[in-house]
Amino acid sequence: MATHPSTRSSARSSARPGRPTRERILDAAHHLLRTLGLARTTTKEIAREAGCSEAALYKHFSGKEEIFVRVLFDRLPRLNPLLSELARDPGDRGLERNLLQVTEHAALFYEQSVPIAAALFAEPALKRRHFEGVRELGAGPRTPLRALAAYLRHEQARGAVRADADVDAAAALLLGACSQRAFLYDFAGGERPEQPLDAFVRGLVRTLLHGLAPTAGGGADGR
């Protein structure tokens, strides 16, 4: 789980002089979220770490929830931006290559985000307030699921995914496996998974493709 430094020796360690205030705030939030966790990170702590006032922080962000969402998008592995791009335009890289990239990003994204959010589950009222705030910003844990399913529907429409495939289930299986891997990694106190990331990614995508890809010579429903 997230570690809890016993001193303030790290104060302002992430504030780099010369960077715009907004970027310093995100740098500071990323550092604190990874060391203190989401539940213990406050806007006051973020402002102190960034070397600015809380008033300056609120000129750039509506609150901690918006900062958290921007850290997820801008400072962690680019899962959400990648999925948003694929949902808008799948491009011509092909289903397998896109899923390999998504799976690698998802595994790394959850590896960093699970420890950040884990402490919320010990405080139900705080967790409820946090996710209500995140939902108001149009984000939340279902966002990547919806985006991945939307991408798979694009591939289904152009024949790369069999017509009878359940793309919502496929998205849940892929992201759920990545999230579970991160949870087990974090729950074990930082112990590295036995299976290397590359093997995990390729094995998961290969297994999914068995259920998604049309069979050679089959009809629109894959039969």
Side-chain angles (χ1 to χ4, degrees), residues 26-59:
L26 289 177
D27 289 342
H30 183 210
H31 170 72
L32 290 171
L33 288 167
R34 295 185 69 181
T35 54
L36 294 179
L38 182 57
R40 293 186 62 197
T41 297
T42 65
T43 52
K44 181 180 291 187
E45 292 281 355
I46 294 170
R48 180 185 293 118
E49 179 83 5
C52 69
S53 67
E54 252 191 301
L57 180 150
Y58 280 105
K59 288 181 180 178

mmCIF file of all heavy atoms in Angstrom, residues 26-59:
data_model
loop_
_atom_site.group_PDB
_atom_site.id
_atom_site.type_symbol
_atom_site.label_atom_id
_atom_site.label_comp_id
_atom_site.label_asym_id
_atom_site.label_seq_id
_atom_site.Cartn_x
_atom_site.Cartn_y
_atom_site.Cartn_z
ATOM 1 N N LEU A 26 0.676 19.836 -10.317
ATOM 2 C CA LEU A 26 0.495 18.448 -10.732
ATOM 3 C C LEU A 26 1.697 17.589 -10.333
ATOM 4 O O LEU A 26 1.536 16.436 -9.911
ATOM 5 C CB LEU A 26 0.251 18.366 -12.238
ATOM 6 C CG LEU A 26 -1.102 18.894 -12.729
ATOM 7 C CD1 LEU A 26 -1.191 18.820 -14.239
ATOM 8 C CD2 LEU A 26 -2.253 18.108 -12.094
ATOM 9 N N ASP A 27 2.906 18.142 -10.457
ATOM 10 C CA ASP A 27 4.103 17.413 -10.019
ATOM 11 C C ASP A 27 4.012 17.100 -8.523
ATOM 12 O O ASP A 27 4.298 15.983 -8.079
ATOM 13 C CB ASP A 27 5.363 18.230 -10.292
ATOM 14 C CG ASP A 27 5.709 18.336 -11.764
ATOM 15 O OD1 ASP A 27 5.204 17.523 -12.555
ATOM 16 O OD2 ASP A 27 6.482 19.248 -12.116
ATOM 17 N N ALA A 28 3.626 18.114 -7.756
ATOM 18 C CA ALA A 28 3.525 17.948 -6.298
ATOM 19 C C ALA A 28 2.443 16.944 -5.942
ATOM 20 O O ALA A 28 2.632 16.087 -5.062
ATOM 21 C CB ALA A 28 3.242 19.298 -5.647
ATOM 22 N N ALA A 29 1.290 17.042 -6.601
ATOM 23 C CA ALA A 29 0.196 16.116 -6.319
ATOM 24 C C ALA A 29 0.592 14.681 -6.650
ATOM 25 O O ALA A 29 0.308 13.753 -5.886
ATOM 26 C CB ALA A 29 -1.044 16.522 -7.114
ATOM 27 N N HIS A 30 1.256 14.503 -7.777
ATOM 28 C CA HIS A 30 1.705 13.160 -8.163
ATOM 29 C C HIS A 30 2.640 12.577 -7.105
ATOM 30 O O HIS A 30 2.498 11.423 -6.680
ATOM 31 C CB HIS A 30 2.424 13.236 -9.514
ATOM 32 C CG HIS A 30 2.854 11.908 -10.042
ATOM 33 N ND1 HIS A 30 3.965 11.757 -10.849
ATOM 34 C CD2 HIS A 30 2.348 10.660 -9.871
ATOM 35 C CE1 HIS A 30 4.107 10.486 -11.158
ATOM 36 N NE2 HIS A 30 3.136 9.795 -10.581
ATOM 37 N N HIS A 31 3.578 13.386 -6.633
ATOM 38 C CA HIS A 31 4.527 12.942 -5.603
ATOM 39 C C HIS A 31 3.796 12.577 -4.305
ATOM 40 O O HIS A 31 4.033 11.512 -3.715
ATOM 41 C CB HIS A 31 5.548 14.044 -5.342
ATOM 42 C CG HIS A 31 6.420 13.789 -4.149
ATOM 43 N ND1 HIS A 31 7.396 12.831 -4.141
ATOM 44 C CD2 HIS A 31 6.423 14.361 -2.918
ATOM 45 C CE1 HIS A 31 7.991 12.818 -2.949
ATOM 46 N NE2 HIS A 31 7.420 13.734 -2.194
ATOM 47 N N LEU A 32 2.889 13.438 -3.864
ATOM 48 C CA LEU A 32 2.197 13.206 -2.594
ATOM 49 C C LEU A 32 1.221 12.037 -2.686
ATOM 50 O O LEU A 32 1.086 11.251 -1.738
ATOM 51 C CB LEU A 32 1.459 14.466 -2.159
ATOM 52 C CG LEU A 32 2.361 15.623 -1.717
ATOM 53 C CD1 LEU A 32 1.542 16.894 -1.517
ATOM 54 C CD2 LEU A 32 3.103 15.265 -0.429
ATOM 55 N N LEU A 33 0.532 11.918 -3.808
ATOM 56 C CA LEU A 33 -0.401 10.810 -3.964
ATOM 57 C C LEU A 33 0.319 9.471 -3.913
ATOM 58 O O LEU A 33 -0.195 8.488 -3.371
ATOM 59 C CB LEU A 33 -1.173 10.946 -5.288
ATOM 60 C CG LEU A 33 -2.230 12.052 -5.327
ATOM 61 C CD1 LEU A 33 -2.700 12.295 -6.753
ATOM 62 C CD2 LEU A 33 -3.408 11.707 -4.426
ATOM 63 N N ARG A 34 1.533 9.433 -4.450
ATOM 64 C CA ARG A 34 2.290 8.179 -4.448
ATOM 65 C C ARG A 34 2.933 7.896 -3.096
ATOM 66 O O ARG A 34 3.225 6.736 -2.784
ATOM 67 C CB ARG A 34 3.361 8.205 -5.540
ATOM 68 C CG ARG A 34 2.800 8.251 -6.953
ATOM 69 C CD ARG A 34 3.877 8.143 -8.010
ATOM 70 N NE ARG A 34 4.470 6.809 -8.008
ATOM 71 C CZ ARG A 34 5.463 6.447 -8.823
ATOM 72 N NH1 ARG A 34 5.963 7.315 -9.687
ATOM 73 N NH2 ARG A 34 5.950 5.224 -8.774
ATOM 74 N N THR A 35 3.163 8.917 -2.281
ATOM 75 C CA THR A 35 3.826 8.694 -0.992
ATOM 76 C C THR A 35 2.845 8.691 0.178
ATOM 77 O O THR A 35 2.947 7.847 1.068
ATOM 78 C CB THR A 35 4.910 9.768 -0.752
ATOM 79 O OG1 THR A 35 4.330 11.070 -0.894
ATOM 80 C CG2 THR A 35 6.059 9.605 -1.742
ATOM 81 N N LEU A 36 1.875 9.610 0.171
ATOM 82 C CA LEU A 36 0.891 9.672 1.255
ATOM 83 C C LEU A 36 -0.389 8.905 0.948
ATOM 84 O O LEU A 36 -1.082 8.467 1.864
ATOM 85 C CB LEU A 36 0.518 11.130 1.550
ATOM 86 C CG LEU A 36 1.610 12.049 2.113
ATOM 87 C CD1 LEU A 36 1.044 13.444 2.304
ATOM 88 C CD2 LEU A 36 2.171 11.494 3.404
ATOM 89 N N GLY A 37 -0.714 8.777 -0.346
ATOM 90 C CA GLY A 37 -1.993 8.191 -0.725
ATOM 91 C C GLY A 37 -3.064 9.249 -0.878
ATOM 92 O O GLY A 37 -2.935 10.376 -0.395
ATOM 93 N N LEU A 38 -4.133 8.887 -1.543
ATOM 94 C CA LEU A 38 -5.199 9.847 -1.855
ATOM 95 C C LEU A 38 -5.901 10.363 -0.606
ATOM 96 O O LEU A 38 -6.212 11.549 -0.488
ATOM 97 C CB LEU A 38 -6.200 9.193 -2.807
ATOM 98 C CG LEU A 38 -7.364 10.040 -3.293
ATOM 99 C CD1 LEU A 38 -6.869 11.296 -3.987
ATOM 100 C CD2 LEU A 38 -8.236 9.227 -4.239
ATOM 101 N N ALA A 39 -6.182 9.483 0.345
ATOM 102 C CA ALA A 39 -6.955 9.878 1.522
ATOM 103 C C ALA A 39 -6.225 10.934 2.350
ATOM 104 O O ALA A 39 -6.856 11.823 2.927
ATOM 105 C CB ALA A 39 -7.267 8.653 2.380
ATOM 106 N N ARG A 40 -4.899 10.865 2.435
ATOM 107 C CA ARG A 40 -4.149 11.763 3.295
ATOM 108 C C ARG A 40 -3.603 12.985 2.557
ATOM 109 O O ARG A 40 -3.047 13.886 3.184
ATOM 110 C CB ARG A 40 -2.983 11.011 3.946
ATOM 111 C CG ARG A 40 -3.418 9.933 4.931
ATOM 112 C CD ARG A 40 -2.216 9.339 5.637
ATOM 113 N NE ARG A 40 -1.507 10.348 6.413
ATOM 114 C CZ ARG A 40 -0.259 10.190 6.865
ATOM 115 N NH1 ARG A 40 0.411 9.094 6.578
ATOM 116 N NH2 ARG A 40 0.309 11.136 7.575
ATOM 117 N N THR A 41 -3.746 13.044 1.265
ATOM 118 C CA THR A 41 -3.256 14.190 0.498
ATOM 119 C C THR A 41 -4.328 15.273 0.473
ATOM 120 O O THR A 41 -5.452 15.045 0.035
ATOM 121 C CB THR A 41 -2.901 13.774 -0.935
ATOM 122 O OG1 THR A 41 -1.839 12.817 -0.895
ATOM 123 C CG2 THR A 41 -2.455 14.972 -1.757
ATOM 124 N N THR A 42 -3.986 16.467 0.945
ATOM 125 C CA THR A 42 -4.927 17.590 0.974
ATOM 126 C C THR A 42 -4.442 18.678 0.029
ATOM 127 O O THR A 42 -3.282 18.694 -0.393
ATOM 128 C CB THR A 42 -5.035 18.175 2.394
ATOM 129 O OG1 THR A 42 -3.751 18.744 2.754
ATOM 130 C CG2 THR A 42 -5.407 17.091 3.408
ATOM 131 N N THR A 43 -5.339 19.614 -0.288
ATOM 132 C CA THR A 43 -4.929 20.727 -1.144
ATOM 133 C C THR A 43 -3.865 21.578 -0.443
ATOM 134 O O THR A 43 -2.991 22.145 -1.095
ATOM 135 C CB THR A 43 -6.138 21.596 -1.527
ATOM 136 O OG1 THR A 43 -6.850 21.981 -0.342
ATOM 137 C CG2 THR A 43 -7.075 20.837 -2.452
ATOM 138 N N LYS A 44 -3.937 21.676 0.882
ATOM 139 C CA LYS A 44 -2.927 22.431 1.621
ATOM 140 C C LYS A 44 -1.550 21.784 1.469
ATOM 141 O O LYS A 44 -0.556 22.472 1.238
ATOM 142 C CB LYS A 44 -3.300 22.506 3.099
ATOM 143 C CG LYS A 44 -2.316 23.311 3.947
ATOM 144 C CD LYS A 44 -2.731 23.365 5.414
ATOM 145 C CE LYS A 44 -3.976 24.202 5.590
ATOM 146 N NZ LYS A 44 -4.327 24.413 7.021
ATOM 147 N N GLU A 45 -1.507 20.448 1.580
ATOM 148 C CA GLU A 45 -0.239 19.731 1.409
ATOM 149 C C GLU A 45 0.285 19.903 -0.012
ATOM 150 O O GLU A 45 1.483 20.086 -0.233
ATOM 151 C CB GLU A 45 -0.441 18.239 1.714
ATOM 152 C CG GLU A 45 -0.727 17.928 3.155
ATOM 153 C CD GLU A 45 0.521 17.939 4.016
ATOM 154 O OE1 GLU A 45 1.622 18.099 3.469
ATOM 155 O OE2 GLU A 45 0.394 17.816 5.241
ATOM 156 N N ILE A 46 -0.608 19.822 -0.991
ATOM 157 C CA ILE A 46 -0.194 19.956 -2.390
ATOM 158 C C ILE A 46 0.391 21.345 -2.636
ATOM 159 O O ILE A 46 1.439 21.494 -3.281
ATOM 160 C CB ILE A 46 -1.376 19.686 -3.341
ATOM 161 C CG1 ILE A 46 -1.819 18.223 -3.238
ATOM 162 C CG2 ILE A 46 -0.984 20.010 -4.785
ATOM 163 C CD1 ILE A 46 -3.122 17.918 -3.956
ATOM 164 N N ALA A 47 -0.300 22.384 -2.133
ATOM 165 C CA ALA A 47 0.184 23.752 -2.321
ATOM 166 C C ALA A 47 1.544 23.941 -1.666
ATOM 167 O O ALA A 47 2.450 24.554 -2.263
ATOM 168 C CB ALA A 47 -0.829 24.740 -1.748
ATOM 169 N N ARG A 48 1.732 23.408 -0.451
ATOM 170 C CA ARG A 48 3.015 23.525 0.229
ATOM 171 C C ARG A 48 4.120 22.846 -0.581
ATOM 172 O O ARG A 48 5.205 23.385 -0.768
ATOM 173 C CB ARG A 48 2.936 22.911 1.628
ATOM 174 C CG ARG A 48 4.247 22.999 2.407
ATOM 175 C CD ARG A 48 4.172 22.276 3.735
ATOM 176 N NE ARG A 48 3.236 22.935 4.645
ATOM 177 C CZ ARG A 48 2.141 22.380 5.129
ATOM 178 N NH1 ARG A 48 1.828 21.135 4.788
ATOM 179 N NH2 ARG A 48 1.357 23.041 5.953
ATOM 180 N N GLU A 49 3.825 21.644 -1.071
ATOM 181 C CA GLU A 49 4.814 20.891 -1.859
ATOM 182 C C GLU A 49 5.154 21.620 -3.157
ATOM 183 O O GLU A 49 6.291 21.592 -3.624
ATOM 184 C CB GLU A 49 4.264 19.497 -2.155
ATOM 185 C CG GLU A 49 5.170 18.607 -2.983
ATOM 186 C CD GLU A 49 6.232 17.902 -2.165
ATOM 187 O OE1 GLU A 49 6.221 18.016 -0.924
ATOM 188 O OE2 GLU A 49 7.079 17.237 -2.772
ATOM 189 N N ALA A 50 4.135 22.271 -3.749
ATOM 190 C CA ALA A 50 4.343 22.970 -5.023
ATOM 191 C C ALA A 50 4.984 24.341 -4.855
ATOM 192 O O ALA A 50 5.392 24.964 -5.831
ATOM 193 C CB ALA A 50 3.012 23.115 -5.754
ATOM 194 N N GLY A 51 5.039 24.833 -3.602
ATOM 195 C CA GLY A 51 5.619 26.145 -3.369
ATOM 196 C C GLY A 51 4.705 27.280 -3.773
ATOM 197 O O GLY A 51 5.159 28.319 -4.256
ATOM 198 N N CYS A 52 3.397 27.082 -3.585
ATOM 199 C CA CYS A 52 2.432 28.134 -3.909
ATOM 200 C C CYS A 52 1.381 28.188 -2.811
ATOM 201 O O CYS A 52 1.351 27.344 -1.913
ATOM 202 C CB CYS A 52 1.788 27.887 -5.275
ATOM 203 S SG CYS A 52 0.679 26.463 -5.337
ATOM 204 N N SER A 53 0.503 29.158 -2.875
ATOM 205 C CA SER A 53 -0.572 29.271 -1.891
ATOM 206 C C SER A 53 -1.750 28.398 -2.308
ATOM 207 O O SER A 53 -1.883 28.027 -3.481
ATOM 208 C CB SER A 53 -1.038 30.720 -1.782
ATOM 209 O OG SER A 53 -1.658 31.125 -2.996
ATOM 210 N N GLU A 54 -2.610 28.081 -1.341
ATOM 211 C CA GLU A 54 -3.827 27.340 -1.685
ATOM 212 C C GLU A 54 -4.704 28.155 -2.627
ATOM 213 O O GLU A 54 -5.365 27.604 -3.508
ATOM 214 C CB GLU A 54 -4.605 26.990 -0.409
ATOM 215 C CG GLU A 54 -4.562 25.535 -0.046
ATOM 216 C CD GLU A 54 -5.527 25.162 1.049
ATOM 217 O OE1 GLU A 54 -5.413 25.724 2.147
ATOM 218 O OE2 GLU A 54 -6.389 24.304 0.802
ATOM 219 N N ALA A 55 -4.703 29.480 -2.446
ATOM 220 C CA ALA A 55 -5.496 30.335 -3.330
ATOM 221 C C ALA A 55 -5.018 30.193 -4.771
ATOM 222 O O ALA A 55 -5.826 30.138 -5.704
ATOM 223 C CB ALA A 55 -5.400 31.787 -2.871
ATOM 224 N N ALA A 56 -3.696 30.130 -4.966
ATOM 225 C CA ALA A 56 -3.152 29.948 -6.316
ATOM 226 C C ALA A 56 -3.560 28.599 -6.884
ATOM 227 O O ALA A 56 -3.864 28.472 -8.076
ATOM 228 C CB ALA A 56 -1.633 30.083 -6.283
ATOM 229 N N LEU A 57 -3.567 27.579 -6.023
ATOM 230 C CA LEU A 57 -3.978 26.241 -6.476
ATOM 231 C C LEU A 57 -5.406 26.278 -7.018
ATOM 232 O O LEU A 57 -5.696 25.702 -8.079
ATOM 233 C CB LEU A 57 -3.856 25.261 -5.315
ATOM 234 C CG LEU A 57 -4.223 23.796 -5.559
ATOM 235 C CD1 LEU A 57 -3.393 22.877 -4.658
ATOM 236 C CD2 LEU A 57 -5.718 23.538 -5.308
ATOM 237 N N TYR A 58 -6.295 26.986 -6.286
ATOM 238 C CA TYR A 58 -7.700 27.014 -6.702
ATOM 239 C C TYR A 58 -7.936 27.903 -7.925
ATOM 240 O O TYR A 58 -9.019 27.863 -8.509
ATOM 241 C CB TYR A 58 -8.585 27.446 -5.535
ATOM 242 C CG TYR A 58 -8.863 26.319 -4.567
ATOM 243 C CD1 TYR A 58 -8.236 26.267 -3.332
ATOM 244 C CD2 TYR A 58 -9.736 25.288 -4.908
ATOM 245 C CE1 TYR A 58 -8.482 25.230 -2.445
ATOM 246 C CE2 TYR A 58 -9.990 24.248 -4.039
ATOM 247 C CZ TYR A 58 -9.358 24.218 -2.801
ATOM 248 O OH TYR A 58 -9.595 23.174 -1.942
ATOM 249 N N LYS A 59 -6.953 28.651 -8.345
ATOM 250 C CA LYS A 59 -7.071 29.385 -9.609
ATOM 251 C C LYS A 59 -6.942 28.443 -10.802
ATOM 252 O O LYS A 59 -7.396 28.745 -11.907
ATOM 253 C CB LYS A 59 -5.996 30.469 -9.691
ATOM 254 C CG LYS A 59 -6.232 31.647 -8.773
ATOM 255 C CD LYS A 59 -5.139 32.690 -8.933
ATOM 256 C CE LYS A 59 -5.378 33.882 -8.011
ATOM 257 N NZ LYS A 59 -4.283 34.895 -8.116
#
